[in-house]
Amino acid sequence: MRERWVPDARRNAVADAVGRLLMRGHGTFPGMREIAAEAGVTTGTLQHHFGTKDDLLLFALEHHCRRCADRLTARSEEGARSPRQALAVIVTELLPLDEERAAETSVAKAFVSRAATDPGFAAHYRAQRKILLDLLGEQFARADVPDPSAAATILARVIEGMRTDCLLLGPDAVDVDAVLDRLLRPRDTP
Amino acid sequence: MRERWVPDARRNAVADAVGRLLMRGHGTFPGMREIAAEAGVTTGTLQHHFGTKDDLLLFALEHHCRRCADRLTARSEEGARSPRQALAVIVTELLPLDEERAAETSVAKAFVSRAATDPGFAAHYRAQRKILLDLLGEQFARADVPDPSAAATILARVIEGMRTDCLLLGPDAVDVDAVLDRLLRPRDTP
DNA sequence: CCACCTCCATTACAGATGTAATGTAACAGT
DNA sequence: ACTGTTACATTACATCTGTAATGGAGGTGG
């Protein structure tokens, strides 16, 4: 008998395959047959579960964002002690420090160019960005940093830079503590 | 008589065409015929001046980086008054605020994913990053910021984030002065 | 038993892809 | 004038692309 799958699990497996291919491949989006081979299915399966290729890619993007968000909420209690530690958890969880997070980062990077013109992907970017800004801003407010939302905007940008540094130069190129030191140290108040 | 070109000018024109296509297109690398059409030549011309497509793309990347670097050195004297203004010039020049800089940013973004696996593109990224870090670090040192190279690393990452914010959310999403305010305001010295 | 549906494999196809191969003008050197 | 080289244009081709079309296997409700 053919393997039985709950359809969502199959879609998630395909999305994971896309992540692995984007991580290993040359950065360009893989073809349908390549995705099917990596996922251990045929292109017919892909056509059935996702209509078109763009639907598949958009689902893959959402899948990896969802996984990252799940990890963030799962570790959210670790930040109960100090806002500084909460920020460290968030930043570290977004860095490509293992295969799973490397795939997520590769996916995110690959879709930036796409989002520049395609409104669907752009909307997704905006939504994801807002979630991150809220998370960071909350911790900056707890840390009594003046203008916490501005601080969150800056850290979000630093995170993006750290993700590519880590992806292209290796894990030793980033130092979470050094970054938080500089962004959290108290300032003169006039 | 057929138009005469000094070969370098033709290559640069092709590289500009690639930039425009990456800016307007959906983020994926354009095909040879598309590039040829945009540049007003045929694929034979492309094959003659660049051997293969990868050579063409790498040249395009170098071309746009060179243009940006040229603009930076051309405006370098404007930063003579204050390091803060020098930093503002550098950051602004890297943001996609007109067609030329938008093309440069699109090119840079498109090649990040590629650099993750291809050593040639990765080397280019490292070199370009070092140049920027030196430029920024020099100004932070002039501003008597403690650990100027660490500050430069952070600002370089912020710049990368600002570039995508500006590209995806529009010019109003970035505020150079606000960023420099936060990164340059004096700190408590223990 | 029968229709019906989901799930999937296979095949087919029209179009795009990078590039090799070939031809051909224009000019440079001798 | 002959030769060689540069700078293209055109054609050809094998391969890859996304997807439409078709068919079939297995489970489900009547």
PDB file of all heavy atoms in Angstrom, chain A residues 2 10 42 45 48-49, chain C residues 6-10 12:
ATOM      1  N   ARG A   2       0.396   2.234  -0.716  1.00  0.00           N
ATOM      2  CA  ARG A   2       1.145   3.476  -0.775  1.00  0.00           C
ATOM      3  C   ARG A   2       1.157   4.153   0.587  1.00  0.00           C
ATOM      4  O   ARG A   2       0.175   4.062   1.335  1.00  0.00           O
ATOM      5  CB  ARG A   2       0.502   4.426  -1.797  1.00  0.00           C
ATOM      6  CG  ARG A   2       1.537   5.084  -2.670  1.00  0.00           C
ATOM      7  CD  ARG A   2       0.876   5.934  -3.712  1.00  0.00           C
ATOM      8  NE  ARG A   2      -0.374   5.328  -4.233  1.00  0.00           N
ATOM      9  CZ  ARG A   2      -1.041   5.840  -5.252  1.00  0.00           C
ATOM     10  NH1 ARG A   2      -0.580   6.878  -5.858  1.00  0.00           N
ATOM     11  NH2 ARG A   2      -2.155   5.305  -5.666  1.00  0.00           N
ATOM     12  N   ARG A  10       2.954  16.395   4.496  1.00  0.00           N
ATOM     13  CA  ARG A  10       3.617  16.306   3.197  1.00  0.00           C
ATOM     14  C   ARG A  10       4.033  17.689   2.718  1.00  0.00           C
ATOM     15  O   ARG A  10       5.154  17.879   2.226  1.00  0.00           O
ATOM     16  CB  ARG A  10       2.643  15.670   2.195  1.00  0.00           C
ATOM     17  CG  ARG A  10       3.316  15.280   0.922  1.00  0.00           C
ATOM     18  CD  ARG A  10       2.955  13.880   0.499  1.00  0.00           C
ATOM     19  NE  ARG A  10       4.031  12.934   0.798  1.00  0.00           N
ATOM     20  CZ  ARG A  10       4.234  11.855   0.077  1.00  0.00           C
ATOM     21  NH1 ARG A  10       3.479  11.582  -0.957  1.00  0.00           N
ATOM     22  NH2 ARG A  10       5.201  11.025   0.389  1.00  0.00           N
ATOM     23  N   THR A  42       7.208  12.886  -6.581  1.00  0.00           N
ATOM     24  CA  THR A  42       7.232  13.227  -8.004  1.00  0.00           C
ATOM     25  C   THR A  42       6.583  14.591  -8.201  1.00  0.00           C
ATOM     26  O   THR A  42       5.927  15.131  -7.298  1.00  0.00           O
ATOM     27  CB  THR A  42       6.465  12.191  -8.839  1.00  0.00           C
ATOM     28  OG1 THR A  42       5.083  12.257  -8.490  1.00  0.00           O
ATOM     29  CG2 THR A  42       7.003  10.794  -8.584  1.00  0.00           C
ATOM     30  N   THR A  45       2.918  14.910  -7.379  1.00  0.00           N
ATOM     31  CA  THR A  45       2.559  15.192  -5.985  1.00  0.00           C
ATOM     32  C   THR A  45       2.595  16.688  -5.711  1.00  0.00           C
ATOM     33  O   THR A  45       1.706  17.239  -5.048  1.00  0.00           O
ATOM     34  CB  THR A  45       3.539  14.468  -5.057  1.00  0.00           C
ATOM     35  OG1 THR A  45       3.612  13.104  -5.452  1.00  0.00           O
ATOM     36  CG2 THR A  45       3.094  14.568  -3.619  1.00  0.00           C
ATOM     37  N   HIS A  48      -0.315  18.401  -7.123  1.00  0.00           N
ATOM     38  CA  HIS A  48      -1.559  18.128  -6.414  1.00  0.00           C
ATOM     39  C   HIS A  48      -1.677  18.974  -5.145  1.00  0.00           C
ATOM     40  O   HIS A  48      -2.728  19.561  -4.884  1.00  0.00           O
ATOM     41  CB  HIS A  48      -1.647  16.642  -6.076  1.00  0.00           C
ATOM     42  CG  HIS A  48      -2.872  16.270  -5.313  1.00  0.00           C
ATOM     43  ND1 HIS A  48      -4.148  16.318  -5.855  1.00  0.00           N
ATOM     44  CD2 HIS A  48      -3.040  15.864  -4.034  1.00  0.00           C
ATOM     45  CE1 HIS A  48      -5.028  15.948  -4.965  1.00  0.00           C
ATOM     46  NE2 HIS A  48      -4.384  15.660  -3.832  1.00  0.00           N
ATOM     47  N   HIS A  49      -0.600  19.017  -4.366  1.00  0.00           N
ATOM     48  CA  HIS A  49      -0.679  19.668  -3.059  1.00  0.00           C
ATOM     49  C   HIS A  49      -0.526  21.180  -3.151  1.00  0.00           C
ATOM     50  O   HIS A  49      -1.098  21.914  -2.358  1.00  0.00           O
ATOM     51  CB  HIS A  49       0.383  19.092  -2.130  1.00  0.00           C
ATOM     52  CG  HIS A  49       0.072  17.706  -1.666  1.00  0.00           C
ATOM     53  ND1 HIS A  49      -0.730  17.455  -0.581  1.00  0.00           N
ATOM     54  CD2 HIS A  49       0.432  16.501  -2.151  1.00  0.00           C
ATOM     55  CE1 HIS A  49      -0.832  16.150  -0.405  1.00  0.00           C
ATOM     56  NE2 HIS A  49      -0.133  15.538  -1.344  1.00  0.00           N
TER      57      HIS A  49
ATOM     58  P    DT C   6     -12.074  15.490  -3.407  1.00  0.00           P
ATOM     59  OP1  DT C   6     -12.412  16.678  -2.594  1.00  0.00           O
ATOM     60  OP2  DT C   6     -11.901  15.583  -4.858  1.00  0.00           O
ATOM     61  O5'  DT C   6     -10.770  14.818  -2.789  1.00  0.00           O
ATOM     62  C5'  DT C   6     -10.828  14.244  -1.482  1.00  0.00           C
ATOM     63  C4'  DT C   6      -9.627  13.331  -1.262  1.00  0.00           C
ATOM     64  O4'  DT C   6      -9.696  12.206  -2.196  1.00  0.00           O
ATOM     65  C3'  DT C   6      -8.267  13.987  -1.495  1.00  0.00           C
ATOM     66  O3'  DT C   6      -7.400  13.617  -0.438  1.00  0.00           O
ATOM     67  C2'  DT C   6      -7.822  13.410  -2.829  1.00  0.00           C
ATOM     68  C1'  DT C   6      -8.430  12.026  -2.787  1.00  0.00           C
ATOM     69  N1   DT C   6      -8.640  11.385  -4.100  1.00  0.00           N
ATOM     70  C2   DT C   6      -8.142  10.137  -4.321  1.00  0.00           C
ATOM     71  O2   DT C   6      -7.518   9.505  -3.493  1.00  0.00           O
ATOM     72  N3   DT C   6      -8.402   9.626  -5.578  1.00  0.00           N
ATOM     73  C4   DT C   6      -9.101  10.245  -6.600  1.00  0.00           C
ATOM     74  O4   DT C   6      -9.271   9.699  -7.683  1.00  0.00           O
ATOM     75  C5   DT C   6      -9.593  11.562  -6.295  1.00  0.00           C
ATOM     76  C7   DT C   6     -10.363  12.329  -7.333  1.00  0.00           C
ATOM     77  C6   DT C   6      -9.339  12.067  -5.078  1.00  0.00           C
ATOM     78  P    DC C   7      -5.996  14.341  -0.292  1.00  0.00           P
ATOM     79  OP1  DC C   7      -5.611  14.313   1.128  1.00  0.00           O
ATOM     80  OP2  DC C   7      -6.063  15.600  -1.045  1.00  0.00           O
ATOM     81  O5'  DC C   7      -5.010  13.350  -1.071  1.00  0.00           O
ATOM     82  C5'  DC C   7      -4.785  12.027  -0.547  1.00  0.00           C
ATOM     83  C4'  DC C   7      -3.919  11.271  -1.518  1.00  0.00           C
ATOM     84  O4'  DC C   7      -4.663  11.054  -2.745  1.00  0.00           O
ATOM     85  C3'  DC C   7      -2.631  11.986  -1.928  1.00  0.00           C
ATOM     86  O3'  DC C   7      -1.529  11.160  -1.642  1.00  0.00           O
ATOM     87  C2'  DC C   7      -2.814  12.243  -3.414  1.00  0.00           C
ATOM     88  C1'  DC C   7      -3.762  11.123  -3.812  1.00  0.00           C
ATOM     89  N1   DC C   7      -4.538  11.388  -5.049  1.00  0.00           N
ATOM     90  C2   DC C   7      -4.626  10.406  -6.053  1.00  0.00           C
ATOM     91  O2   DC C   7      -4.050   9.327  -5.889  1.00  0.00           O
ATOM     92  N3   DC C   7      -5.329  10.658  -7.178  1.00  0.00           N
ATOM     93  C4   DC C   7      -5.946  11.842  -7.317  1.00  0.00           C
ATOM     94  N4   DC C   7      -6.638  12.043  -8.440  1.00  0.00           N
ATOM     95  C5   DC C   7      -5.877  12.850  -6.309  1.00  0.00           C
ATOM     96  C6   DC C   7      -5.169  12.576  -5.204  1.00  0.00           C
ATOM     97  P    DC C   8      -0.087  11.794  -1.534  1.00  0.00           P
ATOM     98  OP1  DC C   8       0.703  11.049  -0.540  1.00  0.00           O
ATOM     99  OP2  DC C   8      -0.238  13.236  -1.430  1.00  0.00           O
ATOM    100  O5'  DC C   8       0.469  11.414  -2.971  1.00  0.00           O
ATOM    101  C5'  DC C   8       0.560  10.023  -3.267  1.00  0.00           C
ATOM    102  C4'  DC C   8       0.534   9.797  -4.742  1.00  0.00           C
ATOM    103  O4'  DC C   8      -0.606  10.425  -5.351  1.00  0.00           O
ATOM    104  C3'  DC C   8       1.712  10.342  -5.534  1.00  0.00           C
ATOM    105  O3'  DC C   8       2.646   9.295  -5.706  1.00  0.00           O
ATOM    106  C2'  DC C   8       1.098  10.793  -6.868  1.00  0.00           C
ATOM    107  C1'  DC C   8      -0.361  10.382  -6.736  1.00  0.00           C
ATOM    108  N1   DC C   8      -1.317  11.239  -7.445  1.00  0.00           N
ATOM    109  C2   DC C   8      -1.808  10.809  -8.676  1.00  0.00           C
ATOM    110  O2   DC C   8      -1.413   9.726  -9.130  1.00  0.00           O
ATOM    111  N3   DC C   8      -2.688  11.582  -9.333  1.00  0.00           N
ATOM    112  C4   DC C   8      -3.092  12.744  -8.805  1.00  0.00           C
ATOM    113  N4   DC C   8      -3.976  13.473  -9.481  1.00  0.00           N
ATOM    114  C5   DC C   8      -2.611  13.202  -7.531  1.00  0.00           C
ATOM    115  C6   DC C   8      -1.730  12.423  -6.894  1.00  0.00           C
ATOM    116  P    DA C   9       4.042   9.543  -6.229  1.00  0.00           P
ATOM    117  OP1  DA C   9       4.988   8.695  -5.476  1.00  0.00           O
ATOM    118  OP2  DA C   9       4.244  10.989  -6.317  1.00  0.00           O
ATOM    119  O5'  DA C   9       3.916   8.936  -7.695  1.00  0.00           O
ATOM    120  C5'  DA C   9       3.487   7.590  -7.848  1.00  0.00           C
ATOM    121  C4'  DA C   9       3.433   7.243  -9.333  1.00  0.00           C
ATOM    122  O4'  DA C   9       2.289   7.900  -9.932  1.00  0.00           O
ATOM    123  C3'  DA C   9       4.658   7.679 -10.137  1.00  0.00           C
ATOM    124  O3'  DA C   9       5.073   6.623 -10.981  1.00  0.00           O
ATOM    125  C2'  DA C   9       4.174   8.893 -10.929  1.00  0.00           C
ATOM    126  C1'  DA C   9       2.685   8.647 -11.064  1.00  0.00           C
ATOM    127  N9   DA C   9       1.879   9.874 -11.058  1.00  0.00           N
ATOM    128  C8   DA C   9       1.864  10.837 -10.087  1.00  0.00           C
ATOM    129  N7   DA C   9       1.031  11.822 -10.329  1.00  0.00           N
ATOM    130  C5   DA C   9       0.451  11.478 -11.535  1.00  0.00           C
ATOM    131  C6   DA C   9      -0.517  12.124 -12.326  1.00  0.00           C
ATOM    132  N6   DA C   9      -1.094  13.280 -11.996  1.00  0.00           N
ATOM    133  N1   DA C   9      -0.876  11.515 -13.482  1.00  0.00           N
ATOM    134  C2   DA C   9      -0.290  10.349 -13.806  1.00  0.00           C
ATOM    135  N3   DA C   9       0.632   9.651 -13.135  1.00  0.00           N
ATOM    136  C4   DA C   9       0.959  10.280 -12.002  1.00  0.00           C
ATOM    137  P    DT C  10       6.368   6.748 -11.861  1.00  0.00           P
ATOM    138  OP1  DT C  10       6.984   5.412 -11.914  1.00  0.00           O
ATOM    139  OP2  DT C  10       7.135   7.906 -11.377  1.00  0.00           O
ATOM    140  O5'  DT C  10       5.781   7.097 -13.294  1.00  0.00           O
ATOM    141  C5'  DT C  10       4.452   6.664 -13.604  1.00  0.00           C
ATOM    142  C4'  DT C  10       4.050   7.115 -14.996  1.00  0.00           C
ATOM    143  O4'  DT C  10       3.198   8.277 -14.886  1.00  0.00           O
ATOM    144  C3'  DT C  10       5.195   7.515 -15.934  1.00  0.00           C
ATOM    145  O3'  DT C  10       5.046   6.812 -17.143  1.00  0.00           O
ATOM    146  C2'  DT C  10       5.037   9.025 -16.110  1.00  0.00           C
ATOM    147  C1'  DT C  10       3.560   9.240 -15.846  1.00  0.00           C
ATOM    148  N1   DT C  10       3.223  10.562 -15.236  1.00  0.00           N
ATOM    149  C2   DT C  10       2.193  11.305 -15.764  1.00  0.00           C
ATOM    150  O2   DT C  10       1.537  10.953 -16.712  1.00  0.00           O
ATOM    151  N3   DT C  10       1.969  12.493 -15.096  1.00  0.00           N
ATOM    152  C4   DT C  10       2.661  12.993 -13.994  1.00  0.00           C
ATOM    153  O4   DT C  10       2.370  14.067 -13.501  1.00  0.00           O
ATOM    154  C5   DT C  10       3.719  12.162 -13.524  1.00  0.00           C
ATOM    155  C7   DT C  10       4.531  12.606 -12.343  1.00  0.00           C
ATOM    156  C6   DT C  10       3.958  10.995 -14.150  1.00  0.00           C
ATOM    157  P    DA C  12       4.506  10.074 -23.956  1.00  0.00           P
ATOM    158  OP1  DA C  12       3.886   9.376 -25.102  1.00  0.00           O
ATOM    159  OP2  DA C  12       5.975  10.094 -23.777  1.00  0.00           O
ATOM    160  O5'  DA C  12       3.974  11.560 -23.971  1.00  0.00           O
ATOM    161  C5'  DA C  12       2.591  11.808 -23.725  1.00  0.00           C
ATOM    162  C4'  DA C  12       2.291  13.276 -24.002  1.00  0.00           C
ATOM    163  O4'  DA C  12       2.563  14.052 -22.806  1.00  0.00           O
ATOM    164  C3'  DA C  12       3.129  13.890 -25.123  1.00  0.00           C
ATOM    165  O3'  DA C  12       2.292  14.706 -25.929  1.00  0.00           O
ATOM    166  C2'  DA C  12       4.201  14.678 -24.375  1.00  0.00           C
ATOM    167  C1'  DA C  12       3.468  15.102 -23.106  1.00  0.00           C
ATOM    168  N9   DA C  12       4.332  15.279 -21.937  1.00  0.00           N
ATOM    169  C8   DA C  12       5.351  14.468 -21.529  1.00  0.00           C
ATOM    170  N7   DA C  12       5.952  14.880 -20.428  1.00  0.00           N
ATOM    171  C5   DA C  12       5.282  16.043 -20.096  1.00  0.00           C
ATOM    172  C6   DA C  12       5.439  16.941 -19.035  1.00  0.00           C
ATOM    173  N6   DA C  12       6.366  16.821 -18.085  1.00  0.00           N
ATOM    174  N1   DA C  12       4.601  18.000 -19.001  1.00  0.00           N
ATOM    175  C2   DA C  12       3.675  18.131 -19.961  1.00  0.00           C
ATOM    176  N3   DA C  12       3.441  17.340 -21.006  1.00  0.00           N
ATOM    177  C4   DA C  12       4.277  16.303 -21.012  1.00  0.00           C
TER     178       DA C  12
END
